[in-house]
Amino acid sequence: MSEPKILVALDYNDKKEALALVEQLNPKLCGLKVGKEMFTLFGPDFVKELVAKGYNVFLDLKFHDIPNTVAKACQAAAKLGVWMINVHASGGRVMMEKAREALEHEENKPLLIAVTMLTSMNEQVFSELGYQRGLAEQVAHLAQMSRDSGLDGVVCSSWEAKQLKQQCGKDFKLITPGIRPEGSDKGDQSRIMTPSQALNAGSDYLVIGRPITQANNPYQALCDISDSIVSHL
Ligand SMILES: O=c1ccn([C@@H]2O[C@H](COP(=O)(O)O)[C@@H](O)[C@H]2O)c(=O)[nH]1
């Protein structure tokens, strides 16, 4: 059986609540994403606890700093046994290359991916940042730089997935947050698609948080989403 396509974003401020959901899941059904909130509250031990349960854990800390600092942070993250880590592509080529090199001698080598432009960003917000390219072009540019720096893939929106698969090749992983099943609340996301639309567009992994964690029955919400993409597995 192939790896699970769904990565549940565990954005909780209550560890018990998060673990109650995790206990209902299994590592064949989904991977788990730990982001800034839970890592800041509960630290490396929480991450190791999820790894010990057999889950693919994506540690989504989006490192963005000088090359030496990011390289050391990546090494520290790899030691937690996680499956995937990330940096911001806008940290630049040298930063990404140093992060790549830093993982070379680690026993556990997580997938190393780069965030392009956040899925919450729309054209209007983007234009305020003063980039010379358009939003989609900037994503394509950062994805190319990430690939050239030896990274395994990028975080992008599913809106860019088709273009990036053509540009970067089928093995370059596309991780897409901003996934909203039909009828679910968009919240602060801008560039969204449904799970099956995103997979059709070329996404490799779907990051899904609130449509699952805020549902009346999170486990059922995850099962419904899994059923909706069964033809893609
Ligand atoms: O561009 C990005 C990068 C990361 N995220 C993270 O994904 C989840 C999405 O959660 P939802 O509740 O499904 O919106 C969240 O943890 C973000 O930090 C992203 O949304 N966009």
Side-chain angles (χ1 to χ4, degrees):
M1 194 167 162
S2 58
E3 273 185 336
K5 298 266 179 204
I6 299 174
L7 306 176
V8 177
L10 289 179
D11 293 325
Y12 287 98
N13 60 14
D14 180 337
K15 190 165 149 186
K16 273 196 189 143
E17 208 183 326
L19 288 175
L21 173 60
V22 171
E23 288 312 319
Q24 291 183 285
L25 309 177
N26 73 71
K28 288 194 180 125
L29 188 60
C30 64
L32 301 173
K33 184 181 87 70
V34 176
K36 292 187 167 93
E37 183 181 14
M38 291 209 82
F39 190 77
T40 304
L41 285 168
F42 308 112
D45 286 345
F46 176 63
V47 174
K48 286 193 235 170
E49 194 174 338
L50 301 176
V51 170
K53 289 178 189 292
Y55 285 94
N56 277 354
V57 175
F58 170 19
L59 186 59
D60 178 23
L61 297 182
K62 303 184 187 70
F63 297 133
H64 190 177
D65 210 314
I66 60 173
N68 180 60
T69 302
V70 167
K72 294 279 166 54
C74 287
Q75 273 175 343
K79 291 187 199 308
L80 302 179
V82 296
W83 163 77
M84 185 186 279
I85 62 173
N86 60 1
V87 301
H88 264 289
S90 53
R93 190 182 297 271
V94 175
M95 189 205 78
M96 289 194 277
E97 287 171 354
K98 292 288 175 205
R100 173 82 285 163
E101 282 167 32
L103 295 176
E104 233 163 67
H105 301 295
E106 287 302 311
E107 200 177 318
N108 172 53
K109 288 190 186 51
L111 292 168
L112 177 62
I113 60 168
V115 178
T116 55
M117 299 306 298
L118 296 168
T119 53
S120 54
M121 202 162 278
N122 59 24
E123 292 287 351
Q124 195 193 339
V125 176
F126 176 80
S127 71
E128 286 175 3
L129 297 176
Y131 288 99
Q132 299 200 330
R133 300 180 183 85
L135 176 46
E137 288 73 32
Q138 182 64 13
V139 171
H141 172 68
L142 292 172
Q144 192 61 48
M145 255 178 61
S146 308
R147 189 172 182 277
D148 295 346
S149 307
L151 271 65
D152 299 301
V154 287
V155 178
C156 60
S157 89
S158 42
W159 290 18
E160 296 97 38
K162 191 172 176 203
Q163 152 73 22
L164 294 190
K165 271 289 164 194
Q166 280 167 7
Q167 177 187 318
C168 299
K170 70 174 175 41
D171 294 335
F172 191 69
K173 310 251 179 290
L174 304 181
I175 292 83
T176 59
I179 301 299
R180 290 292 181 266
E182 209 70 63
S184 62
D185 188 10
K186 190 174 172 186
D188 55 356
Q189 297 285 5
S190 288
R191 305 191 327 276
I192 61 169
M193 274 191 191
T194 67
S196 62
Q197 284 169 343
L199 290 174
N200 278 335
S203 300
D204 293 292
Y205 298 102
L206 310 174
V207 173
I208 313 179
R210 287 162 288 184
I212 294 172
T213 56
Q214 304 295 305
N216 289 335
N217 182 339
Y219 176 66
Q220 189 55 51
L222 173 60
C223 292
D224 291 345
I225 295 171
S226 289
D227 290 347
S228 77
I229 59 167
V230 80
S231 60
H232 296 273
L233 304 178

PDB file of all heavy atoms in Angstrom, residues 9 11 33 60 62 115 117-120 155 177-180 188-189 207-211, ligand 1:
ATOM      1  N   ALA A   9      -3.084  18.337   9.906  1.00  0.00           N
ATOM      2  CA  ALA A   9      -2.394  19.417  10.630  1.00  0.00           C
ATOM      3  C   ALA A   9      -2.940  19.462  12.054  1.00  0.00           C
ATOM      4  O   ALA A   9      -4.076  19.873  12.288  1.00  0.00           O
ATOM      5  CB  ALA A   9      -2.633  20.751   9.923  1.00  0.00           C
ATOM      6  N   ASP A  11      -3.224  21.276  14.714  1.00  0.00           N
ATOM      7  CA  ASP A  11      -3.102  22.624  15.279  1.00  0.00           C
ATOM      8  C   ASP A  11      -4.032  22.735  16.484  1.00  0.00           C
ATOM      9  O   ASP A  11      -5.151  23.255  16.387  1.00  0.00           O
ATOM     10  CB  ASP A  11      -3.420  23.680  14.211  1.00  0.00           C
ATOM     11  CG  ASP A  11      -2.376  23.687  13.102  1.00  0.00           C
ATOM     12  OD1 ASP A  11      -1.179  23.453  13.400  1.00  0.00           O
ATOM     13  OD2 ASP A  11      -2.739  23.906  11.937  1.00  0.00           O
ATOM     14  N   LYS A  33       0.978  16.399  10.889  1.00  0.00           N
ATOM     15  CA  LYS A  33       1.832  17.591  10.779  1.00  0.00           C
ATOM     16  C   LYS A  33       1.818  18.320  12.125  1.00  0.00           C
ATOM     17  O   LYS A  33       0.756  18.624  12.662  1.00  0.00           O
ATOM     18  CB  LYS A  33       1.321  18.524   9.682  1.00  0.00           C
ATOM     19  CG  LYS A  33       2.225  19.720   9.452  1.00  0.00           C
ATOM     20  CD  LYS A  33       1.688  20.633   8.380  1.00  0.00           C
ATOM     21  CE  LYS A  33       0.715  21.659   8.890  1.00  0.00           C
ATOM     22  NZ  LYS A  33       1.285  22.725   9.745  1.00  0.00           N
ATOM     23  N   ASP A  60       6.580  20.999  10.685  1.00  0.00           N
ATOM     24  CA  ASP A  60       6.368  22.188   9.850  1.00  0.00           C
ATOM     25  C   ASP A  60       6.800  23.450  10.616  1.00  0.00           C
ATOM     26  O   ASP A  60       5.969  24.222  11.069  1.00  0.00           O
ATOM     27  CB  ASP A  60       4.877  22.240   9.477  1.00  0.00           C
ATOM     28  CG  ASP A  60       4.493  23.447   8.651  1.00  0.00           C
ATOM     29  OD1 ASP A  60       5.370  24.031   7.987  1.00  0.00           O
ATOM     30  OD2 ASP A  60       3.299  23.812   8.669  1.00  0.00           O
ATOM     31  N   LYS A  62       9.127  25.621   9.258  1.00  0.00           N
ATOM     32  CA  LYS A  62       9.436  26.653   8.248  1.00  0.00           C
ATOM     33  C   LYS A  62      10.651  27.477   8.641  1.00  0.00           C
ATOM     34  O   LYS A  62      10.577  28.705   8.805  1.00  0.00           O
ATOM     35  CB  LYS A  62       8.244  27.593   8.046  1.00  0.00           C
ATOM     36  CG  LYS A  62       6.944  26.910   7.643  1.00  0.00           C
ATOM     37  CD  LYS A  62       5.858  27.943   7.376  1.00  0.00           C
ATOM     38  CE  LYS A  62       4.501  27.349   7.124  1.00  0.00           C
ATOM     39  NZ  LYS A  62       3.866  26.739   8.298  1.00  0.00           N
ATOM     40  N   VAL A 115       9.064  26.069   1.567  1.00  0.00           N
ATOM     41  CA  VAL A 115       7.805  26.807   1.408  1.00  0.00           C
ATOM     42  C   VAL A 115       8.012  27.870   0.327  1.00  0.00           C
ATOM     43  O   VAL A 115       9.000  28.614   0.366  1.00  0.00           O
ATOM     44  CB  VAL A 115       7.408  27.497   2.738  1.00  0.00           C
ATOM     45  CG1 VAL A 115       6.131  28.308   2.573  1.00  0.00           C
ATOM     46  CG2 VAL A 115       7.265  26.471   3.854  1.00  0.00           C
ATOM     47  N   MET A 117       5.176  30.324  -1.617  1.00  0.00           N
ATOM     48  CA  MET A 117       4.367  31.446  -1.112  1.00  0.00           C
ATOM     49  C   MET A 117       3.173  30.848  -0.360  1.00  0.00           C
ATOM     50  O   MET A 117       2.503  29.945  -0.865  1.00  0.00           O
ATOM     51  CB  MET A 117       3.852  32.320  -2.274  1.00  0.00           C
ATOM     52  CG  MET A 117       4.940  32.972  -3.113  1.00  0.00           C
ATOM     53  SD  MET A 117       6.164  33.964  -2.213  1.00  0.00           S
ATOM     54  CE  MET A 117       5.165  35.246  -1.494  1.00  0.00           C
ATOM     55  N   LEU A 118       2.943  31.356   0.833  1.00  0.00           N
ATOM     56  CA  LEU A 118       1.907  30.793   1.707  1.00  0.00           C
ATOM     57  C   LEU A 118       0.539  30.750   1.008  1.00  0.00           C
ATOM     58  O   LEU A 118       0.180  31.680   0.269  1.00  0.00           O
ATOM     59  CB  LEU A 118       1.810  31.620   2.994  1.00  0.00           C
ATOM     60  CG  LEU A 118       3.070  31.606   3.865  1.00  0.00           C
ATOM     61  CD1 LEU A 118       2.981  32.664   4.956  1.00  0.00           C
ATOM     62  CD2 LEU A 118       3.317  30.231   4.459  1.00  0.00           C
ATOM     63  N   THR A 119      -0.204  29.700   1.301  1.00  0.00           N
ATOM     64  CA  THR A 119      -1.511  29.520   0.653  1.00  0.00           C
ATOM     65  C   THR A 119      -2.553  30.530   1.139  1.00  0.00           C
ATOM     66  O   THR A 119      -3.626  30.647   0.549  1.00  0.00           O
ATOM     67  CB  THR A 119      -2.038  28.096   0.911  1.00  0.00           C
ATOM     68  OG1 THR A 119      -2.011  27.844   2.328  1.00  0.00           O
ATOM     69  CG2 THR A 119      -1.196  27.060   0.204  1.00  0.00           C
ATOM     70  N   SER A 120      -2.244  31.230   2.206  1.00  0.00           N
ATOM     71  CA  SER A 120      -3.164  32.280   2.688  1.00  0.00           C
ATOM     72  C   SER A 120      -3.054  33.543   1.831  1.00  0.00           C
ATOM     73  O   SER A 120      -3.902  34.429   1.910  1.00  0.00           O
ATOM     74  CB  SER A 120      -2.840  32.628   4.140  1.00  0.00           C
ATOM     75  OG  SER A 120      -1.464  32.955   4.246  1.00  0.00           O
ATOM     76  N   VAL A 155       6.328  23.257  -0.596  1.00  0.00           N
ATOM     77  CA  VAL A 155       4.960  23.567  -0.171  1.00  0.00           C
ATOM     78  C   VAL A 155       4.472  24.663  -1.105  1.00  0.00           C
ATOM     79  O   VAL A 155       5.147  25.688  -1.270  1.00  0.00           O
ATOM     80  CB  VAL A 155       4.920  24.085   1.283  1.00  0.00           C
ATOM     81  CG1 VAL A 155       3.488  24.453   1.671  1.00  0.00           C
ATOM     82  CG2 VAL A 155       5.492  23.057   2.249  1.00  0.00           C
ATOM     83  N   PRO A 177      -1.102  22.644   1.341  1.00  0.00           N
ATOM     84  CA  PRO A 177      -2.158  23.064   2.278  1.00  0.00           C
ATOM     85  C   PRO A 177      -3.224  23.841   1.487  1.00  0.00           C
ATOM     86  O   PRO A 177      -3.175  23.880   0.250  1.00  0.00           O
ATOM     87  CB  PRO A 177      -1.414  23.978   3.251  1.00  0.00           C
ATOM     88  CG  PRO A 177       0.044  23.863   2.907  1.00  0.00           C
ATOM     89  CD  PRO A 177       0.106  23.440   1.476  1.00  0.00           C
ATOM     90  N   GLY A 178      -4.158  24.440   2.220  1.00  0.00           N
ATOM     91  CA  GLY A 178      -5.220  25.174   1.516  1.00  0.00           C
ATOM     92  C   GLY A 178      -6.194  24.194   0.877  1.00  0.00           C
ATOM     93  O   GLY A 178      -6.710  24.434  -0.217  1.00  0.00           O
ATOM     94  N   ILE A 179      -6.438  23.094   1.557  1.00  0.00           N
ATOM     95  CA  ILE A 179      -7.367  22.083   1.039  1.00  0.00           C
ATOM     96  C   ILE A 179      -8.701  22.244   1.764  1.00  0.00           C
ATOM     97  O   ILE A 179      -8.748  22.255   2.993  1.00  0.00           O
ATOM     98  CB  ILE A 179      -6.796  20.656   1.262  1.00  0.00           C
ATOM     99  CG1 ILE A 179      -5.439  20.509   0.563  1.00  0.00           C
ATOM    100  CG2 ILE A 179      -7.797  19.602   0.796  1.00  0.00           C
ATOM    101  CD1 ILE A 179      -5.447  20.692  -0.943  1.00  0.00           C
ATOM    102  N   ARG A 180      -9.745  22.383   0.978  1.00  0.00           N
ATOM    103  CA  ARG A 180     -11.069  22.571   1.565  1.00  0.00           C
ATOM    104  C   ARG A 180     -12.087  21.669   0.865  1.00  0.00           C
ATOM    105  O   ARG A 180     -12.422  21.895  -0.302  1.00  0.00           O
ATOM    106  CB  ARG A 180     -11.521  24.042   1.423  1.00  0.00           C
ATOM    107  CG  ARG A 180     -10.736  25.005   2.301  1.00  0.00           C
ATOM    108  CD  ARG A 180     -11.052  24.767   3.766  1.00  0.00           C
ATOM    109  NE  ARG A 180     -10.359  25.653   4.683  1.00  0.00           N
ATOM    110  CZ  ARG A 180      -9.195  25.369   5.293  1.00  0.00           C
ATOM    111  NH1 ARG A 180      -8.577  24.218   5.051  1.00  0.00           N
ATOM    112  NH2 ARG A 180      -8.665  26.210   6.147  1.00  0.00           N
ATOM    113  N   ASP A 188      -8.798  31.529   6.779  1.00  0.00           N
ATOM    114  CA  ASP A 188      -7.801  32.497   6.304  1.00  0.00           C
ATOM    115  C   ASP A 188      -7.044  32.017   5.061  1.00  0.00           C
ATOM    116  O   ASP A 188      -6.070  32.632   4.648  1.00  0.00           O
ATOM    117  CB  ASP A 188      -6.800  32.822   7.424  1.00  0.00           C
ATOM    118  CG  ASP A 188      -6.127  31.570   7.999  1.00  0.00           C
ATOM    119  OD1 ASP A 188      -6.495  30.451   7.592  1.00  0.00           O
ATOM    120  OD2 ASP A 188      -5.239  31.724   8.853  1.00  0.00           O
ATOM    121  N   GLN A 189      -7.473  30.912   4.490  1.00  0.00           N
ATOM    122  CA  GLN A 189      -6.809  30.417   3.272  1.00  0.00           C
ATOM    123  C   GLN A 189      -7.331  31.158   2.047  1.00  0.00           C
ATOM    124  O   GLN A 189      -8.489  31.575   2.027  1.00  0.00           O
ATOM    125  CB  GLN A 189      -7.069  28.901   3.101  1.00  0.00           C
ATOM    126  CG  GLN A 189      -6.493  28.049   4.212  1.00  0.00           C
ATOM    127  CD  GLN A 189      -4.967  27.903   4.100  1.00  0.00           C
ATOM    128  OE1 GLN A 189      -4.324  28.520   3.250  1.00  0.00           O
ATOM    129  NE2 GLN A 189      -4.398  27.095   4.983  1.00  0.00           N
ATOM    130  N   VAL A 207      -2.253  18.715   2.912  1.00  0.00           N
ATOM    131  CA  VAL A 207      -2.214  19.111   4.328  1.00  0.00           C
ATOM    132  C   VAL A 207      -3.612  19.628   4.691  1.00  0.00           C
ATOM    133  O   VAL A 207      -4.091  20.595   4.082  1.00  0.00           O
ATOM    134  CB  VAL A 207      -1.175  20.226   4.560  1.00  0.00           C
ATOM    135  CG1 VAL A 207      -1.273  20.738   6.002  1.00  0.00           C
ATOM    136  CG2 VAL A 207       0.229  19.719   4.265  1.00  0.00           C
ATOM    137  N   ILE A 208      -4.233  18.989   5.648  1.00  0.00           N
ATOM    138  CA  ILE A 208      -5.609  19.378   6.007  1.00  0.00           C
ATOM    139  C   ILE A 208      -5.710  19.526   7.524  1.00  0.00           C
ATOM    140  O   ILE A 208      -5.430  18.575   8.261  1.00  0.00           O
ATOM    141  CB  ILE A 208      -6.651  18.350   5.511  1.00  0.00           C
ATOM    142  CG1 ILE A 208      -6.381  17.968   4.052  1.00  0.00           C
ATOM    143  CG2 ILE A 208      -8.065  18.910   5.664  1.00  0.00           C
ATOM    144  CD1 ILE A 208      -7.330  16.941   3.474  1.00  0.00           C
ATOM    145  N   GLY A 209      -6.108  20.712   7.953  1.00  0.00           N
ATOM    146  CA  GLY A 209      -6.242  20.977   9.379  1.00  0.00           C
ATOM    147  C   GLY A 209      -7.677  21.132   9.797  1.00  0.00           C
ATOM    148  O   GLY A 209      -8.393  20.156  10.066  1.00  0.00           O
ATOM    149  N   ARG A 210      -8.144  22.379   9.836  1.00  0.00           N
ATOM    150  CA  ARG A 210      -9.447  22.683  10.432  1.00  0.00           C
ATOM    151  C   ARG A 210     -10.639  21.911   9.864  1.00  0.00           C
ATOM    152  O   ARG A 210     -11.534  21.562  10.643  1.00  0.00           O
ATOM    153  CB  ARG A 210      -9.698  24.200  10.380  1.00  0.00           C
ATOM    154  CG  ARG A 210      -8.829  24.948  11.391  1.00  0.00           C
ATOM    155  CD  ARG A 210      -8.714  26.415  11.084  1.00  0.00           C
ATOM    156  NE  ARG A 210      -7.875  26.650   9.923  1.00  0.00           N
ATOM    157  CZ  ARG A 210      -7.542  27.843   9.466  1.00  0.00           C
ATOM    158  NH1 ARG A 210      -7.994  28.926  10.079  1.00  0.00           N
ATOM    159  NH2 ARG A 210      -6.766  27.968   8.414  1.00  0.00           N
ATOM    160  N   PRO A 211     -10.662  21.603   8.546  1.00  0.00           N
ATOM    161  CA  PRO A 211     -11.818  20.814   8.079  1.00  0.00           C
ATOM    162  C   PRO A 211     -11.926  19.471   8.814  1.00  0.00           C
ATOM    163  O   PRO A 211     -12.997  18.872   8.875  1.00  0.00           O
ATOM    164  CB  PRO A 211     -11.522  20.610   6.583  1.00  0.00           C
ATOM    165  CG  PRO A 211     -10.678  21.799   6.212  1.00  0.00           C
ATOM    166  CD  PRO A 211      -9.814  22.053   7.429  1.00  0.00           C
TER     167      PRO A 211
HETATM  168  O1  LIG B   1       1.487  27.832   2.709  1.00  0.00           O
HETATM  169  C1  LIG B   1       1.159  27.237   3.757  1.00  0.00           C
HETATM  170  C2  LIG B   1       2.065  26.572   4.549  1.00  0.00           C
HETATM  171  C3  LIG B   1       1.629  25.919   5.668  1.00  0.00           C
HETATM  172  N1  LIG B   1       0.323  25.907   6.021  1.00  0.00           N
HETATM  173  C4  LIG B   1      -0.071  25.149   7.223  1.00  0.00           C
HETATM  174  O2  LIG B   1      -0.999  24.115   6.854  1.00  0.00           O
HETATM  175  C5  LIG B   1      -2.036  24.008   7.783  1.00  0.00           C
HETATM  176  C6  LIG B   1      -3.342  24.269   7.104  1.00  0.00           C
HETATM  177  O3  LIG B   1      -4.388  24.208   8.044  1.00  0.00           O
HETATM  178  P1  LIG B   1      -5.913  24.449   7.658  1.00  0.00           P
HETATM  179  O4  LIG B   1      -6.586  24.458   8.996  1.00  0.00           O
HETATM  180  O5  LIG B   1      -6.331  23.286   6.795  1.00  0.00           O
HETATM  181  O6  LIG B   1      -6.033  25.742   6.945  1.00  0.00           O
HETATM  182  C7  LIG B   1      -1.712  24.977   8.922  1.00  0.00           C
HETATM  183  O7  LIG B   1      -1.052  24.249   9.934  1.00  0.00           O
HETATM  184  C8  LIG B   1      -0.751  25.975   8.302  1.00  0.00           C
HETATM  185  O8  LIG B   1       0.207  26.436   9.235  1.00  0.00           O
HETATM  186  C9  LIG B   1      -0.567  26.569   5.244  1.00  0.00           C
HETATM  187  O9  LIG B   1      -1.796  26.591   5.534  1.00  0.00           O
HETATM  188  N2  LIG B   1      -0.133  27.212   4.117  1.00  0.00           N
END
